[in-house]
Amino acid sequence: MRRGLILLTAALIAVLLCGCGAVAEHGPTLLLRCADNQPEDYPTTKAAEYFASLVEARTDGRVVIRVFPNAELGGEKSVFEQMQFGGIDFARVSVGTLAAEVPEAEMLQLPYLFRDAEHMWRVLDGKIGDELLLSVRRADVVGLSWFDAGARNIYTREPVASLQDLKGLTIRVQESELMSEMIRLWGAIPVQMVYSEVYSALETGSIDGAENNWPSYEATGHFEAAPYYLLDGHARLPELLLISKVTLEKITALDSSYGDILIQCAREAAIYERELWKEREGASEALVRENGCIVTELDDAALQEFREAVTPLYEGFPPEIQTLIRQIQAA
Ligand code: GCU
């Protein structure tokens, strides 16, 4: 009895020491959590699952990651805050989540920064993208790879077909000052709100509209409440697969080669996500169109009005970020 108790206590201590894992033959294992606010069948969540399976296989089962979809671990901002002290180990987040703490992340939210997807990937897959991944370390998290999230567009409950029609409408944005200012410059009223609350706000009419990419517009059901989708393509917000610095230290303490393994697995997961993204973008667009959404394209002159109105946003950054903006524009 007494021996049993001692063994149980020893096992418990082992579990606590190695972060709620178990003691496998080849040493302790880590059981870790990864947050995503999208549903299970969404490209980012599937890629996070793929990442977890690669990491488990390449660490001989010593690093086990469980993915929690649907914001089960909380909204993105709260997840990020928990990651800063190691409360959550990994997350896939929109770059906007880091904007308040990392000026480089805020810069990536600038409307019309990237000319198109090809331009964005040239930047993110190159030297600038690697430096941007490093820049988030300042916020006690480490960027592992970039995921695609397409282009964001405005959608509304009532018909909106031009910049003029947006005036005075309340539009939901991420919890971001830059996105709020963008909406103000368009003459509308920004409402910062956590993603999971947007559907009911649209349904009850407490906001007039929101903005997001095709797959999010479709997966959340926002298209049912706000069927007018205006293709202004204002932002390409890349997404990040992040690890908490605290977790990275725990993992590399198990084996110093695991840091490189994580990065390699995250890059492979990103390639997978980008493939899934392309398919889902087309499927989501088709689905919302079939369901009667009214999609408005803007001609060059109308699009130019959207662009010109937000140029002041480019002026508020410190000189080193201004330089980065110019490098991105020239890429
Ligand atoms: C996208 C993104 C989410 C983000 C959301 C938002 O859907 O994938 O991670 O939370 O935009 O607008 O908040």
Side-chain angles (χ1 to χ4, degrees), residues 180-214:
S180 296
E181 195 48 30
M182 171 186 80
I183 297 293
R184 275 187 215 108
L185 288 166
W186 284 335
I189 303 154
V191 180
Q192 295 189 13
M193 188 182 284
V194 69
Y195 188 47
S196 56
E197 285 169 14
V198 183
Y199 182 82
S200 66
L202 285 171
E203 213 187 17
T204 58
S206 70
I207 52 172
D208 298 311
E211 49 80 54
N212 219 317
N213 52 51
W214 287 112

Side-chain angles (χ1 to χ4, degrees), residues 37-38 76 92 94 152 172 174 195 212-213 216 239:
N37 67 356
Q38 301 290 6
E76 284 189 329
R92 188 288 310 161
S94 168
R152 292 172 82 103
R172 177 271 172 174
Q174 293 178 306
Y195 188 47
N212 219 317
N213 52 51
S216 298
E239 310 202 334

Side-chain angles (χ1 to χ4, degrees), residues 98 102 104-105 124 126-146 240 242 245 248 263 267:
L98 304 173
V102 182
E104 287 85 347
L124 295 183
K127 193 167 155 272
I128 299 179
D130 290 344
E131 280 165 12
L132 289 170
L133 281 178
L134 285 179
S135 70
V136 308
R137 282 181 183 249
R138 236 176 290 148
D140 291 329
V141 291
V142 178
L144 295 172
S145 62
W146 298 106
L240 286 154
L242 294 178
K245 254 193 189 173
L248 184 59
I263 293 177
R267 298 210 161 171

Side-chain angles (χ1 to χ4, degrees), residues 220-299:
T220 50
H222 292 180
F223 69 95
E224 294 158 0
Y228 299 94
Y229 199 71
L230 183 66
L231 292 175
D232 67 301
H234 55 271
R236 285 191 177 272
L237 299 190
E239 310 202 334
L240 286 154
L241 186 58
L242 294 178
I243 180 173
S244 157
K245 254 193 189 173
V246 179
T247 307
L248 184 59
E249 279 160 22
K250 275 198 229 166
I251 294 180
T252 48
L254 279 188
D255 187 317
S256 59
S257 70
Y258 285 179
D260 288 344
I261 288 182
L262 281 178
I263 293 177
Q264 184 54 32
C265 296
R267 298 210 161 171
E268 289 174 35
I271 293 171
Y272 178 57
E273 192 273 348
R274 295 182 204 175
E275 283 163 15
L276 294 179
W277 184 264
K278 274 195 217 110
E279 283 166 27
R280 181 65 179 251
E281 229 178 8
S284 296
E285 175 176 353
L287 193 144
V288 302
R289 283 184 188 268
E290 275 158 29
N291 278 275
C293 287
I294 314 295
V295 181
T296 303
E297 290 194 28
L298 294 167
D299 62 23

